[in-house]
Amino acid sequence: MKLPEDVIKRAEQNIEPFDTEGFVLGKGPVPAEIMMIGEAPGENEVYDGEPFTGRAGKELDKQLSYLGWTRDDVYITSVVRSRPYKWEKKSGGEEVRKANRKPNKKEVKAHAELLDVQIEEANPRVILLLGGVAYQRLIDEKGKISEVIGEKLETPLLRYDQDNDTYVKTERSYTVIPLYHPAAVFYNPSIRESIYESLDRLQSYL
Ligand code: URA
């Protein structure tokens, strides 16, 4: 995807003050029939320069193949393009290492313009939100994704208004389906059945 250089540069500069590393833009066909928006890259993704190449990516691939899709059928990106990390002690020792963490609101804002431009450029027919960070960024700042998983929403998106430092609703509506983040099943294996139910529902809408 060709994006304006100044938008990328601003995103890179905006994220500099935070504990993040790398920059993963996204991957897939443009224009995209389907756009998937995750949270932020992790260690593997930053190393590979591609979204979802680590453990969550393997889970995502299983879900794509359940739907009969491949990565070439979807444009995949995330709310934040750099890997947010925290320093963590290795168990039992003094040695520290970088661990992945969820992006905070300031980091989300640092890359908000880039995501808005990227959605416009991809111009997808359907947007799939993978997890709560994407849902809160684009639909409802305080909302709970668990209440709308697998539902087909015809809804405006939240766009970042730089002049007023706030998010505003777009005039047009988009078709959006919130889904579990592929990594959610690692923390809560009991949701596996409802993940596949949500994919069945998704399949029935498309
Ligand atoms: N989680 C995401 O949201 N994106 C990735 O690329 C990897 C993990």
Side-chain angles (χ1 to χ4, degrees), residues 38-42 45 51-52 181:
E39 183 176 301
E45 288 76 19
F52 285 104
H181 189 280

Side-chain angles (χ1 to χ4, degrees), residues 92-163:
E94 281 306 303
E95 206 186 327
V96 289
R97 61 168 195 124
K98 284 178 184 171
N100 295 341
R101 63 171 170 80
K102 207 168 132 161
N104 61 41
K105 294 277 178 204
K106 288 184 180 166
E107 291 159 347
V108 167
K109 198 187 281 181
H111 284 173
E113 180 196 16
L114 177 57
L115 181 62
D116 291 336
V117 170
Q118 215 169 12
I119 293 171
E120 231 167 74
E121 190 64 27
N123 193 21
R125 186 167 70 87
V126 181
I127 297 176
L128 305 179
L129 301 176
L130 307 182
V133 170
Y135 180 71
Q136 291 192 340
R137 161 65 180 87
L138 288 163
I139 306 293
D140 181 353
E141 281 179 78
K142 299 219 158 72
K144 281 194 176 154
I145 193 171
S146 53
E147 290 167 5
V148 285
I149 289 278
E151 283 182 25
K152 182 172 172 235
L153 312 173
E154 296 298 336
T155 172
L157 295 181
L158 293 173
R159 254 186 98 86
Y160 182 55
D161 171 357
Q162 295 187 62
D163 296 338

Side-chain angles (χ1 to χ4, degrees), residues 54-80:
R55 194 169 163 226
K58 295 212 166 54
E59 195 58 41
L60 179 67
D61 284 334
K62 279 190 214 159
Q63 297 181 13
L64 290 175
S65 98
Y66 180 78
L67 291 163
W69 301 349
T70 70
R71 295 229 180 184
D72 293 335
D73 297 318
V74 286
Y75 189 89
I76 307 178
T77 189
S78 55
V79 170
V80 174

